[in-house]
Amino acid sequence: MTDNIKDYINGGADGNFFLLAGPCVIEGEEMALDIASRMKVITERLGIPYIFKGSYRKANRSRIDSFTGIGDEKALKILGKVRSEFDIPVVTDIHLPEEAAMAAEYVDVLQIPAFLCRQTDLLVAAAATGKFVNIKKGQFLSPKSMAYAVNKVRESGNDNVAVTERGTTFGYQDLIVDMRGFPEMKEACGCPVIIDATHSLQQPNQTSGVTGGLPELIATIACSSIAAGADGVFMETHQNPSEAKSDGANMLPLDKMESLLRRLVIMRQAYLEGLKI
């Protein structure tokens, strides 16, 4: 595993984008290890710095009977096993300040959910761990306003921070991604900017109480965002999205991951060449 996660997230020597990918939530050890194993092979082949993503618990569900996890300790130990067995960094979400130190024992990056990006105590607690902090932009915020969330982390003594675009609320049950947001957030925040190519395509809180999505547009959002200057890509993936216990409507099937990543590598190379003109 890299000793300097900040250098890793900055794409390494060739400036490639980095990838955060994995299941929405840890459903069990076998599925997590299988996804991590297959993703490591793909990303090493393509020269993409890879961070395994898995939530140990989902707190923001539409319905009280929605799946939230297999138990915090059990899921965190699985994340720790992914980290040690495959020698790759790991990212997970936290929801309350007291979760920061607990999760930090098992992961390299702490992720702040979009709805919680203004929660000062949560940001300060995440910063205090010394881990890299990835803040998802609230669906209700402008790109430039994310500078205030980033500054809360920095002013707490931690300069290891990134921000993630995951769409802006459009009407009641849709999201849009404004490509102007990538250069705006880079300038305002002065840190790596990531596109969440799967949650950006959510259609939240449908009448059934289950979030829908437009997974057929994942490639469109990911490619457009790389062309607009995104430094990293976040995608949720699963062996069988239709059987996933959380957010299956937005996931990219695992067997489609490599072909999309190959396109994104080409897009990133073209973007970097364009900067030289």
Side-chain angles (χ1 to χ4, degrees), residues 203-225:
Q203 294 183 311
N205 294 330
Q206 300 296 303
T207 53
S208 64
V210 177
T211 294
L214 300 166
E216 65 274 15
L217 295 177
I218 291 172
T220 299
I221 292 294
C223 289
S224 300
S225 301

Side-chain angles (χ1 to χ4, degrees), residues 228-264:
D231 303 295
V233 177
F234 176 107
M235 286 191 285
E236 289 187 338
T237 187
H238 194 281
Q239 297 92 333
N240 299 292
S242 63
E243 298 178 7
K245 296 183 178 181
S246 178
D247 276 359
N250 310 294
M251 289 185 181
L252 183 71
L254 187 56
D255 61 8
K256 294 185 177 180
M257 182 65 76
E258 183 167 4
S259 61
L260 175 54
L261 291 178
R262 287 185 179 277
R263 291 173 62 186
L264 296 181

Side-chain angles (χ1 to χ4, degrees), residues 3 5 30 64 84 107 147 158 174 203 206 223 245 276:
D3 293 327
I5 190 70
E30 183 178 354
I64 196 169
S84 60
V107 305
N158 188 342
D174 205 0
Q203 294 183 311
Q206 300 296 303
C223 289
K245 296 183 178 181
K276 300 176 183 178

Side-chain angles (χ1 to χ4, degrees), residues 13 16 36 51 77 115 125-126 153 159 171 184 223 239 245-246 275:
N16 204 356
I51 301 170
K77 286 184 176 179
F115 287 132
V153 174
D159 193 43
E184 287 180 358
C223 289
Q239 297 92 333
K245 296 183 178 181
S246 178
L275 294 179

